[in-house]
Each structure stands twice: as C-alpha cells, then as structure tokens.
C-alpha cells in the first residue's frame, strides 16, 4: 500500500511560483510540501526579476505600465493578483535574497524604473530587479565596455554582443580570451566552478589585463561563481581595477540557479518540505475539493493528503499543459478546465515566428482569487495562469512571484478562518 | 555587365540539374550551373529521402518501376556513401485489399524488381513496431538516400574539374533568336549584379518550374503540373526498414527511416504554383492517421517538422491532341530542336530523385547531339567523391567519428553533431551569410531542438567570420528562426511544443532577439515585434521566383 502523508497545503511545481507559494505558506505557519517533477524554469531563465518589459513598446516604469495594464486587461494575471501583490512580493523576494545563502548577493531595483541589461545578443532588455552582480550592466550607468569571454563557452559571443551594444549606443568591443580549459566545450555552470578558484581568477586576470584599456567596464557571461558570486566579482574588480558585471547566458543559467538556491533555502528555513523528482501521477477528488495527490518517485510512491493545493506546474513548456496530436488541449496534472485556448478551426499559431501566437496565452481558468475552475481548494500560480505571454511581455518572474505570493495569502486566510471556526 | 562563356549552361540546381552538370563535366564539357537559390532548395530538398526499389510502381507504372530498379542498383554503387541500405518492406495491413499482394508480386516479376515474401513473424521480428495485424510481407531493395550529401558530392566533384556553380543567381531572361537559344542572363540575389552567360547549349532542368523557363525562351506548351505533397519527420527511427503499404500507391503509405528520424509521406494535391508550400491541417491529420495504421502509437511519437514539396508532373500541351490524360511519373526529355526547331535548348523535367542519374545521362546525350559530338557517359561507373570505397552509410557513423574527438572539439549543433571547425570551414568556403545554407551543407539545426541551441552559437561564428554588421547578424539569426518555424508550427503538439516554448524563452526571453537593433522593433522602444516579424517574413520570401515579367533577350544583346 502507498504511504500517506498529511499536509495543510501541497504545492505542485518547484519553479519560481511554486517555491514562492510554498515558502509563504510555510512562513504563515502551514505544514507545506512542494512537489517538483524536476527543476523548473529557474535553471533556464536569466535570473532577473522581470515584471513588465514590453506592452508591446518598451516599458520605462513597470509601476505606471502595470496600473494601465491592470485596467485595460482584466484577464491578465496581474489584474487578478493586483498591483499590491506585485510590489509586496518583490520586496519579500528582495528580503529573501538579502537574508539568503549567498553572502552579499542581493537583488537591486524596483518597480519605479526598469533596468536595461544587455543580453548575450547585446540587446538592452528591461528588468525590474536584478542580481547585484548584473546591475553594473545597466545601460544608464555604462561608459565604454569590453565584453569578455573564452572560446570554450559556446553560449556567448563577445563580438556579437559588443556589436549590438554599440549599435544601441554603448561603445563596446568584444574580447575572446584564448585561455586553456581542459575541455573544448564548457557550459556556464562548469565555468562558474572554475571562477570559484582564486588561482584560476588570478590566471584569468593576468591574461586579460594587458588587453584592457583604461576606463573600460568589463561585461562577462554570468558564470562568476555559484556559491559566493559577490566575492568572485569583488575579487575580479580588485585584480582588474575596473567594474565587472555579469550578462545572462543561454541555459543552464547560473544566476537562475542562484535564485533557486535563495528560494529553496527560504522554504527550508520556514520549515517547508521540498520533494524533488516527485511527479504527480494521480489525484483524488471529493465534491469540489481535491483531497490528495499521488506521486511516483524513485524508491516509492507516495500519497499527499492536504486541505489546500497550489498548482504551479507551468504551462506548455513544462508539459503540464499539453496540446495533443488531435489538437486538443489538456491540463495534465489535475485535469482542470482551461481558458484562452483558440476555438477549433481558428489558428493556434501564426506563420510569423515573432507574431503573437494565439495558443500562447492559454492557461488554467481561475476566478478572481486564483481558484481553479470547478474546485474549492486548488489555487493556480505562475505560468499555469492564462492571459499572459511572459517571454514577450518580460513578465515571467513578476507573475510567478506575485501569483505565488497571492495564492499563499488566500490560502493562509482560509487556514486562519478554519482555525477560528475550530477553536 | 560580366559576361561568361561556356559550352553547357544548366539552369536548375536540383538533383537533375546537378546530375546533368556532373555528367557533362565528366564528359569533358565546360559547364556553368545556375540556380535562383541554393542547391537542392526546391523539390530535391523536399522529398522523403526514399531510394525507390521500384516496388511502388510495379503495378501502376511498370516503366517507372523498371527505371527505378535499374538506377537503384547503380546508385548503391556510385553514391554508396549517400545511401543507407535499410532495405524495404511491403506489408498488407488490415486496411489494405489483400488481393493486391498477388498483383504486386506479378508486377515485381514483370518489371524485374527484386521481391521476396517473408513470413509475418519474420517481418514483425525485424520491425516490432509494425501493425501486428499484417497478413503478408515482402522484402524489396528500398533504401534511403541523403540528397544534400549526394548533391554536394556531385557539385564539389564538378567544381574541382572546373565547373562553375552560381547559386543565388536567378535567370532573368533567356537569349533567344529565331531558331536558337544561346544562353541566359542571370542576376545575383545577393549583390543584384547581372551576368550574361553565353552557352552553346542551355539545359532547362528546373523541374516544376520548367514551364516558366521554357516560356522565357519563347517555347510554347511546356506544361508542368505541380503536384504538392507533404511529408512529416518523426523524431526517432520508428522503423529501421522502409515500410510501404502493399496497395495501389496513395497518401501516407510510406514510412522512410533516414538519419535519426522517420519520414512519413505523402499527399498529392494539384497546385498552380510550384512555390506553393502550404501544409493544410487535414493533410497533417491524414499523415498521423495513416501512420497509426503502419505503426500503432505513431501519434505518441514527436513530430519534428513538416515540409511540402512539389512534384513536376509533365504534360506536353503539344501532344495533348493524342493523349490528354497521360500525366506520367516517368521523366520527359524535350529536345527543342526536334520539338520546336530551336537549337541549343533542352528541357528535362518530371521523373523522381531515384532516376536523376538516368535523366542526366539522357539529357547530356541530347546535349552531345546539339554539339555534334559523341562522348560516352561515365556516371554509371564513376563513383561520386566520397563514395570511392563503395561502403554504404551506416547510422551511427558520424557519432562514432565524433566520439573519438569529443573532448577536443566544440560541438555547435548537438542534435546533428556539427562541430565548430566544420561550420567555420563551410562558412569560409561558401562565403554564405545564411544559416539555412549551412543547414543544407551540414544538417545544422535539423534535429529535435530545430535550432534552439545552435542558432545563436552559429550566428556568433558567422558574425565573426563574415565580418557582418550587427544588423546583418541579427537578420541571419531571425531568418533561421523563421525558417525553422515555417516547418514546425503546423505540426506542433506534445513534446515538440514544449521544445518550441523552451526556444521561445531562449530567443525572446533570454536573448530578446525581437528587440535587437535592426530587427524591426528597435532599441528605441518601437511598437513591439511586428516590425521584426515583417522583416523575417520578407527575407523568407526573397527566394521566390521572379519569373513573372520574364523577358526574352535577343541573342545579339548578349555580347
């Protein structure tokens, strides 16, 4: 027989939204389990907190544009959670980072004004809050820039990045430092481990210094240490005598993994439990309530009973929402009804890749409290929500944080009510 | 204006045209080949990769069957490295008329197609995913052929012997006097420069576009009915043998394992436009349904990519009073000296990839007649460069080679094992600024992620080597994104949709390519991505034929 575990709340999904919801619930005193099939988009995304980047013109102040978006698009996740949840959750996350496991590695910025950080293409991309090691790349503070990488890192082309930055008005040049590593291919995670070694940093800086001009800022792929990036960047700045900042790379994303560590550690500190490799394979319902979910994991299958559930399992990217070969769309974890799916016969996709894709904004139908349609006790957060196209809007982390935060708040309110009834 | 002079001008860089150039080169002619786009960018690059045994035509079109088996035997030898000897099976599924099997056997015997019946249990043992309800199975010598490898081998071989190949050169006019064609004028798609090519014989090897070139030459009645068909590549070798339904040829009844995928095809819809590459949803559904009949569970596999190719089905309007319905799969060679009294001009169209060599041989024989010389064809015995040892391609060959140097060499495209050095070499050699050209050269971006990872990496290399401006580099990346999207969106479901969504995060999220300088949206915060989409779309359409408004240039103007 399956083992059974009892929780106040179970969160399905271990990405940004799920970890936020789980941590907030744990912090409110609930007994919480976060069930993660695998590592989510945290390991893929640039590590920045994007709240609102494009509407579709580039957003200068997320705060102002958010207010407009909330009034104009009542179906957007931000309209459901409200502006307060956005600002509160950002502050909450900044506190998590400040008190987190990475010394002196904080998040800077806020809702007043987007920072513009170069991407690996050299495009200036708007983010509301960014890791302190990346903030030096903010366009408004940049003079001339040297973009530096090593040939072993396929995911980063300094000259291409510099050419686009220059085209965007920031005088830049690329430096490919021909420095030996033992493999022809290195990914940013492997390089990050390398940069944790002071001897390597010394070697690297000795090679780089003669190529640098005075007054240059140094932009490097985000690979400057995993456990203590602030110290790594500080040491490089000391050795080079110049400002150093990180630029997000293609996955795997080192700053994304750091962000995951910040949230995971916050969850643990609050007493929440994280089960990795826990794929939800079935669930039980009674009337309008989900009563339990079962996971299939290495070792043994488990049943999690809970009063409340948060579905933060992601959208099409994670596979939690699926379009099958008969062109029918399903929510695969709990079989919840969807919203925003194009009707049969109307296009799911447009011919031009960069067009708005009709299917993209589909998600789990929810009410104004993020409660999933047809259920009393399932709340939805993050990319599972309909109405947004995060990668186009530059809104992924903002939605994940605010909706995870909000879902937890609604549930915590319910828990308090139950307590007052039973006591 | 530059003027080139040659003995033989070949218009069309598909299998037929390149085959003609290779054949004529081996016979010692001076040859120039032109194509409006890259080699194999038309029909040749848009088929399922099947080297026919002839079994498919054994009943319906015996002449085509005879040609196929003869050429199959020759190509296995001379193009060995381009061919994987998968073998083929014709199976009678519960959905097929069981009576056809005996007709099939008779047809194979009559046409000389090797055919051996094997037990159902033996068939299922060798192909366990096949429908368990099959009632009969026949082994035939089907195989798969990698078209790009074949064409590069021939074109490189011809170039080494002095042949000039001008890709991205579109014919803008054919030099025609009253009784003679004397070459053509072409325009570079890259630079806009025009070149006059004087030729003693001009070969129109443009397949489905042959009517357009014949029109330019003022030749009437060359009518090619384009027959459009879709093919879908499924990720994985669902089978390791070419599987045919044992029935009269129809839609979706062939499954071809090639490289790491299986391709199901095809449909047949008449279209008026040879550049019609539409992929209707009902045809996609039909492919999946037919796939289920061959391999139950087919729909659970991941559909990687769909494409649409246009068969050139030839109909000679001049012969229409004798037989209007005879639209044949066999090829047609039109010697316009005999047909129209116009010398120096030959049209070759129709046919199929399996018979490209035979078509080329007959064409160059006609060229010899025009030039009044007799030179023997040697393509049936001369191996293509790379195939000299006569060993067929084996699946896993590239991985085996790659594994030897895995620690020492960077891989740009993991799906197709494209190394950095091979990509850099191809960029330098071709001078190309298009990643899609690299795809045809190296299979870059053809695997499961459809360019998700290699696009940025390859753009970075292209930017460095070609010294592109930031804007041109961005455009190269956006063009390749759009090119990959074109074949992806109509079949997006399941895991491939997950893949695309992941790619969206990479390109639109992490890299923010929609707002790259020059990509349309611009850094100034212009209106979203609409501009970028427009730019990519326009570039995608730039290869379209400019045959409308064709001019016939008098031969006197050539010099």
């Amino acid at each position: 027989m399956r083992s059974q575990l009892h929780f106040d709340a179970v969160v399905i999904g271990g990405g940004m939204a799920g970890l936020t919801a789980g941590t907030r619930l744990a912090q409110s005193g609930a007994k919480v389990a976060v069930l993660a099939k695998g590592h989510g988009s945290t390991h893929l995304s640039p590590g920045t907190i994007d709240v609102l980047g494009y509407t579709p013109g580039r957003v200068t102040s997320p705060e102002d544009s958010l207010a407009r978006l909330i009034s104009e698009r009542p179906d957007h996740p931000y309209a459901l959670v409200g502006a307060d949840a956005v600002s509160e959750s950002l502050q909450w996350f900044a506190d998590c980072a400040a008190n987190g496991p990475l010394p002196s590695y904080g998040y800077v910025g806020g809702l007043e004004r987007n920072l513009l950080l170069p991407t690996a293409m050299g495009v200036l991309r708007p983010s509301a809050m960014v890791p302190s090691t990346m903030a030096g790349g903010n366009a408004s503070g940049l003079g001339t820039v040297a973009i530096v990488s090593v040939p072993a890192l396929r995911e980063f082309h300094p000259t291409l990045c510099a050419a686009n930055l220059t085209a965007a008005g920031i005088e830049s040049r690329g430096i490919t430092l021909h420095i030996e590593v033992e493999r022809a291919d290195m990914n940013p995670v492997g390089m990050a481990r390398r940069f944790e070694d002071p001897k390597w940093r010394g070697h690297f800086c000795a090679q780089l210094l003669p190529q640098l001009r005075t007054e240059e800022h140094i932009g490097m792929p985000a690979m400057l240490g995993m456990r203590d990036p602030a110290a790594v960047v500080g040491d490089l700045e000391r050795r080079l005598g110049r400002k150093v900042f990180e630029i997000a790379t293609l996955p795997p994303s080192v700053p994304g993994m750091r962000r995951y560590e910040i949230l995971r550690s916050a969850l643990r500190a609050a007493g929440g439990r994280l089960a990795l490799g826990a794929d939800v394979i079935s669930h039980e319902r009674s009337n309008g309530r989900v009563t339990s979910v079962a996971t299939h994991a290495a070792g043994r299958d488990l049943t999690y009973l809970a009063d409340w559930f948060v579905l933060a399992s992601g959208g099409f990217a994670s596979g939690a929402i699926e379009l099958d070969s008969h062109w029918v769309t399903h929510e695969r974890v709990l079989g919840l009804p969807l919203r925003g799916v194009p009707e049969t016969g109307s296009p799911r996709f447009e011919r031009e890749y960069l067009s708005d894709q009709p299917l993209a904004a589909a998600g789990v139908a929810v009410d104004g409290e993020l409660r999933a349609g047809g259920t009393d006790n399932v709340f939805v957060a993050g990319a599972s929500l309909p109405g947004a196209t995060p990668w186009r809007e530059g809104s992924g982390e903002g939605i994940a944080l605010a909706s995870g935060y909000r879902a937890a708040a609604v549930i915590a309110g319910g828990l308090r009510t139950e307590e007052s009834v039973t006591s | 204006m530059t003027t080139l002079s040659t003995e033989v001008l070949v218009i069309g860089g598909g299998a037929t045209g390149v085959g003609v150039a290779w054949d004529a080169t081996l016979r010692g002619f001076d040859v120039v080949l032109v194509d409006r786009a890259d080699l194999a960018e038309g029909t040749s690059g848009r088929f399922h990769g099947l080297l026919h045994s002839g079994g498919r035509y054994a009943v319906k079109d015996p002449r085509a069957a005879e040609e196929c088996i003869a050429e199959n035997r020759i190509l296995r030898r001379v193009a060995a490295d381009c061919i994987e000897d998968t073998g083929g099976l014709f199976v009678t599924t519960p959905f097929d008329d069981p009576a056809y099997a005996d007709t099939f056997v008779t047809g194979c015997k009559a046409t000389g197609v090797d055919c051996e019946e094997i037990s159902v249990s033996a068939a299922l043992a060798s192909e366990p995913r096949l429908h368990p309800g099959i009632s009969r199975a026949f082994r035939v010598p089907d195989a798969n052929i990698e078209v790009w490898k074949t064409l590069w081998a021939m074109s490189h071989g011809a170039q080494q012997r002095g042949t000039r190949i001008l890709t991205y050169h579109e014919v803008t006019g054919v030099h025609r006097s009253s009784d003679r064609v004397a070459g053509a004028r072409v325009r570079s798609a890259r630079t806009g420069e025009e070149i006059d090519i004087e030729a003693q014989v001009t070969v129109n090897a443009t397949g489905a576009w042959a009517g357009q070139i014949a029109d330019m030459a003022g030749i009437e009645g060359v009518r090619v009915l384009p027959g459009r068909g879709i093919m879908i590549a499924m990720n994985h070798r669902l089978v390791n043998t070419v599987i045919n339904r044992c029935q009269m040829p129809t839609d979706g009844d062939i499954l071809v394992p090639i490289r790491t995928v299986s391709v199901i095809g095809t449909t047949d819809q008449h279209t008026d436009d040879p550049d019609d590459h539409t992929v209707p949803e009902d045809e996609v559904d039909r492919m999946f349904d037919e796939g289920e009949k061959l391999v139950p569970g087919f729909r659970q596999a991941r559909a990687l990519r769909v494409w649409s190719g246009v068969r050139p089905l030839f109909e000679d309007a001049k012969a229409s009073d004798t037989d209007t319905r005879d639209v044949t799969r066999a090829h047609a060679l039109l010697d316009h000296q005999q047909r129209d009294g116009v010398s120096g001009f030959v049209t070759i169209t129709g046919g199929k990839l399996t018979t490209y060599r035979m078509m080329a041989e007959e064409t160059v024989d006609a060229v010899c007649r025009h030039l009044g010389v007799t030179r023997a064809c040697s393509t049936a015995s001369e191996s293509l460069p790379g195939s000299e040892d006569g060993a067929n391609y084996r699946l896993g060959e590239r991985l085996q080679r790659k594994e030897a140097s895995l620690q020492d060499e960077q891989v740009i495209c993991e799906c197709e094992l494209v190394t950095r050095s091979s990509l850099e070499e191809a960029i330098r050699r071709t001078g190309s600024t298009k990643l899609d050209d690299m795809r045809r050269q190296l299979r870059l971006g053809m695997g499961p992620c459809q360019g998700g990872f290699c696009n940025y990496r390859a753009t970075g290399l292209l930017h460095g080597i070609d010294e592109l401006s930031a804007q041109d580099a961005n455009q190269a990346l956006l063009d390749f994104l759009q090119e990959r999207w074109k074949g992806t969106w109509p079949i997006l479901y399941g895991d491939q949709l997950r893949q695309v969504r992941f790619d969206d995060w990479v390109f639109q999220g992490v890299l923010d390519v929609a707002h790259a300088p020059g990509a349309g949206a611009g850094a100034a915060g212009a209106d979203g991505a609409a501009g970028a989409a427009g730019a990519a779309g326009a570039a995608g359409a730039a290869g379209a034929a400019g045959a409308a408004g064709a001019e016939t240039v008098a031969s006197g103007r050539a010099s």
Side-chain angles (χ1 to χ4, degrees):
Chain A
M1 196 190 137
R2 258 175 213 286
S3 308
Q4 293 195 333
L5 300 170
H6 294 257
F7 290 89
D8 293 325
V10 162
V11 178
I12 304 164
M16 185 90 180
L19 289 171
T20 299
T23 307
R24 285 299 293 164
L25 281 165
Q27 288 176 344
S28 74
K31 188 181 173 197
V32 180
V34 175
L35 311 180
K37 181 178 169 183
H39 290 310
S41 57
T42 42
H43 288 51
L44 310 175
S45 65
T48 53
I49 306 294
D50 300 356
V51 173
L52 196 56
Y54 299 101
T55 60
R58 193 160 75 193
V59 168
T60 307
S61 163
E63 202 163 39
D64 297 348
S65 296
L66 204 55
R68 209 170 314 125
L69 181 132
I70 286 173
S71 69
E72 287 171 4
R73 293 175 58 189
D75 286 345
H76 194 281
Y78 280 140
L80 300 180
V81 301
D84 287 350
V86 179
S87 57
E88 285 170 27
S89 62
L90 245 68
Q91 188 52 53
W92 172 81
F93 176 77
D95 292 344
C96 287
N99 303 313
L102 308 177
S104 307
Y105 181 78
Y107 270 71
V108 300
L111 287 174
E112 300 76 35
R113 200 175 172 81
N114 271 328
L115 289 89
L116 290 176
L117 300 189
T119 71
M121 276 293 275
V123 179
L124 294 173
R125 189 173 156 280
S127 300
M129 253 177 20
V130 305
S132 47
T133 55
M134 295 170 78
N138 188 23
S140 66
L142 280 181
T144 61
V145 179
I147 307 290
V148 181
S149 189
V150 295
L153 194 70
R154 297 166 293 177
E155 329 293 354
F156 199 90
H157 285 276
T159 50
L160 177 59
C161 179
N164 270 317
L165 265 184
T166 302
I170 294 168
E171 195 188 318
S172 310
R173 66 194 181 105
I175 297 176
T176 299
L177 199 62
H178 289 273
I179 189 164
E180 285 278 318
V181 284
E182 81 276 6
R183 285 182 62 103
D185 285 330
M186 291 287 283
N187 73 25
V189 177
M191 291 302 296
R193 293 202 185 97
R194 192 58 54 92
F195 271 96
E196 281 172 348
D197 175 5
K199 258 195 267 171
W200 162 265
R201 294 199 295 267
H203 178 56
F204 181 88
C205 292
Q207 304 261 324
L208 178 59
L209 257 176
Q211 300 194 39
L212 294 180
R213 299 172 189 155
T214 48
E215 303 292 311
E216 270 180 328
H217 289 218
I218 312 299
M220 288 181 61
M223 57 182 186
L224 304 181
M226 193 67 82
R227 290 185 207 92
D228 193 358
V232 173
V233 171
D235 184 51
L236 290 175
E237 288 187 332
R238 209 164 32 250
R239 289 172 193 263
L240 296 170
R242 289 161 179 82
K243 288 280 178 203
V244 173
F245 64 91
E246 292 187 300
I247 300 171
T249 64
L250 267 65
S253 162
V254 168
M257 291 166 77
R258 294 176 195 146
R259 194 180 61 191
Y260 176 77
E261 282 309 316
I262 289 168
L263 283 171
R264 183 167 77 161
S265 135
L267 174 68
R268 282 190 177 152
R273 172 165 174 175
L274 175 64
L276 276 174
D279 190 9
V280 174
I281 50 167
S282 66
H283 66 282
E284 296 286 337
R285 271 196 198 220
S286 169
N287 299 323
R289 297 180 75 82
V290 171
T291 52
S292 69
V293 295
T295 62
H296 179 66
R300 60 178 178 161
D301 291 351
L302 288 173
T303 298
Y304 293 79
L305 293 100
D307 297 327
W308 307 91
F309 292 86
V310 175
L311 184 76
S313 47
F316 290 102
S318 70
I321 299 178
E322 182 199 48
L323 174 68
D324 70 22
S325 74
H326 297 280
W327 320 118
V328 180
T329 311
H330 316 266
E331 191 281 302
R332 293 175 67 197
V333 184
L334 300 174
L336 298 170
L338 298 171
R339 204 188 73 203
V341 178
E343 283 175 29
T344 310
S346 60
R348 295 178 296 275
F349 303 104
E350 297 293 335
R351 285 162 188 275
E352 299 301 330
Y353 173 69
L354 290 177
S355 301
D356 276 316
Q357 302 297 341
L359 187 65
V364 178
V366 291
D367 67 12
E369 288 192 304
L370 303 180
R371 192 181 284 104
T375 71
D376 293 337
N377 66 336
V378 178
F379 295 83
V380 182
S384 311
L385 288 168
T389 48
W391 58 95
R392 292 176 68 77
E393 298 167 352
S395 63
E397 293 81 11
I399 291 173
L401 267 176
S403 59
Y405 188 90
R406 172 81 183 132
V410 175
I411 292 173
L415 282 168
R416 276 193 296 277
T417 310
E418 279 174 10
E419 274 165 20
S420 63
V421 169
T422 50
S423 60
Chain B
M1 188 183 303
T2 314
T3 302
L4 294 180
S5 229
T6 186
E7 285 177 304
V8 183
L9 168 64
V10 183
I11 304 171
T16 312
V18 176
V20 168
W22 171 239
D23 185 315
T25 304
L26 288 181
R27 295 200 213 192
F29 290 114
D30 185 24
V31 182
V32 172
L33 180 143
V34 298
D35 194 283
R36 66 175 191 178
D38 197 7
L39 300 185
E41 201 167 326
T43 305
S44 298
R46 300 170 188 275
F47 86 129
H48 38 45
L50 172 58
L51 182 71
H52 279 283
S53 61
R56 184 172 175 78
Y57 304 110
V59 175
K60 194 182 182 185
D61 192 346
R63 195 182 129 203
E66 286 166 5
E67 290 180 1
C68 283
I69 186 63
E71 286 302 303
N72 180 302
R73 289 177 184 140
I74 293 170
L75 292 182
R76 278 165 184 270
R77 216 167 49 234
V78 298
D81 187 43
C82 312
I83 290 168
E84 183 192 352
D85 186 12
T86 58
L89 280 175
F90 278 76
V91 293
T92 305
T93 72
F95 315 95
D96 304 321
D97 174 12
Y100 181 82
D102 290 331
T103 319
F104 172 73
V105 171
T106 311
C108 286
K109 223 168 254 169
T111 52
V113 175
D114 308 304
C115 168
E116 177 202 355
E117 179 153 17
I118 61 171
S119 69
V120 167
S121 59
L124 291 175
S126 71
E127 289 298 346
R129 280 178 193 263
L130 269 182
H131 196 293
I134 61 170
S135 53
R136 297 183 75 176
F138 304 91
R139 275 204 183 286
V140 295
D142 286 338
N144 74 48
I145 179 163
E146 222 268 32
V147 67
W148 292 288
K149 209 170 173 185
T150 313
L151 263 65
W152 303 135
M154 289 194 288
S155 65
H156 294 159
Q159 282 173 310
Q160 276 162 12
R161 291 165 172 83
T163 286
R164 288 163 287 182
I165 293 182
L166 306 177
T167 51
Y168 295 101
H169 280 78
E170 184 183 334
V171 172
T172 57
V174 173
H175 300 316
R176 161 81 196 266
S177 61
S178 60
D179 61 349
R180 186 173 139 68
V181 166
R185 178 175 295 178
V186 297
R187 185 176 52 222
S188 163
R190 287 185 185 143
T191 63
E193 189 204 358
E194 295 209 314
I195 303 174
D196 258 335
I197 303 174
E198 295 172 351
Q200 294 176 38
V201 182
T202 301
V203 176
N204 173 15
T206 52
W209 294 262
Q212 296 178 2
I213 296 293
D215 282 346
M216 282 178 157
I219 302 283
E220 289 174 0
V222 178
R223 215 180 278 162
V224 183
L225 306 176
R228 185 185 51 70
I230 70 160
M231 281 138 279
I232 299 175
M234 308 300 286
N235 183 33
H236 298 309
R237 303 264 290 209
L238 297 173
V239 290
N240 282 307
T241 313
V242 175
I243 308 294
N244 305 263
R245 294 263 292 278
C246 196
Q247 59 171 3
M248 284 298 267
T250 180
D251 288 358
D253 58 353
I254 311 179
L255 186 58
V256 182
I258 179 160
R259 294 304 187 263
T260 56
V261 302
S262 311
V263 179
I264 188 157
T266 170
T267 52
D268 192 358
Q269 293 293 321
H270 287 305
T271 172
D272 293 327
D273 178 11
D275 290 299
D276 176 3
H277 293 149
T278 51
V279 176
E281 188 164 302
D282 63 322
E283 293 185 32
V284 171
D285 289 335
R286 208 177 322 150
M287 289 304 101
F288 292 153
D289 288 340
E290 296 305 310
E292 283 286 335
K293 294 176 185 172
L294 282 170
V295 173
F298 191 85
R299 281 175 177 271
Q300 264 70 62
R302 176 169 164 179
L304 276 190
R305 189 168 180 82
V306 63
W307 62 93
S308 168
V310 176
R311 303 171 188 83
L313 300 179
F314 176 69
E315 181 185 69
D316 195 339
K318 276 204 164 179
S320 62
D321 45 356
T322 55
D323 189 356
T324 51
R325 289 176 305 166
D326 182 23
V327 179
T328 171
R329 291 281 154 110
H331 60 268
L333 175 71
L334 305 180
D335 184 330
H336 296 290
Q337 172 92 64
Q338 293 165 6
R339 183 180 179 273
D340 310 284
V342 177
S343 68
F345 195 52
V346 176
T347 294
I348 176 75
T349 186
K352 56 188 71 59
L353 191 114
T354 300
T355 58
Y356 86 84
R357 194 213 60 86
M358 171 188 277
M359 292 160 70
E361 176 174 352
E362 290 176 17
T363 305
V364 182
D365 286 348
V367 168
C368 288
R369 284 198 298 278
H370 278 254
L371 293 171
V373 297
T374 311
R375 292 183 194 172
C377 173
S378 60
T379 54
S381 55
E382 180 94 15
S383 291
L384 304 191
S387 290
E388 293 86 351
D389 65 0
N392 284 137
Y393 173 85
R394 283 179 305 103
L395 187 66
E397 211 170 76
R398 281 194 309 162
L399 181 59
Q400 195 177 22
R401 271 203 308 272
K402 179 67 206 129
E403 275 185 327
S405 62
L406 209 52
Q407 299 286 322
D408 316 316
E409 214 185 348
Q410 224 166 44
V411 178
I412 299 301
C413 166
E414 282 99 341
C415 301
E416 295 286 350
L417 296 171
V418 177
T419 62
R420 179 175 181 145
S421 58
S422 64
L423 179 60
E424 288 177 335
E425 187 276 330
I427 294 171
R428 289 202 174 90
R429 172 166 46 77
T430 59
S432 171
T433 57
K434 289 177 63 174
L435 293 178
D436 203 38
D437 290 344
M438 297 304 107
R439 174 180 70 84
R440 280 179 292 272
Q441 294 271 343
L442 305 170
R443 300 182 69 86
L444 182 82
M446 288 181 77
C449 84
Q450 290 286 299
F453 275 90
C454 66
N455 190 346
Y456 170 77
R457 296 171 181 162
T459 300
L461 295 178
L462 199 65
H463 173 253
I465 295 170
D466 284 346
E467 295 174 356
L468 296 181
S469 69
Q471 192 163 331
D472 288 345
N474 300 342
Q475 199 58 56
L477 181 141
L478 288 166
D479 285 350
F480 200 51
L481 266 178
Q482 178 60 32
E483 200 284 327
R484 297 283 77 193
W485 177 247
K486 183 183 74 187
T488 308
W489 70 264
I491 44 97
L492 269 189
Y493 68 84
D495 281 345
Q496 196 63 15
L497 178 53
R498 292 185 65 186
Q499 180 76 55
V500 162
R501 197 52 13 108
F502 172 78
D503 294 351
D504 290 342
W505 274 111
V506 169
F507 290 103
Q508 300 189 48
V510 179
L511 297 172
D512 201 1
V513 298
H515 301 91
D527 190 25
E551 48 165 341
T552 303
V553 183
S555 61
R557 279 168 56 192
S559 48

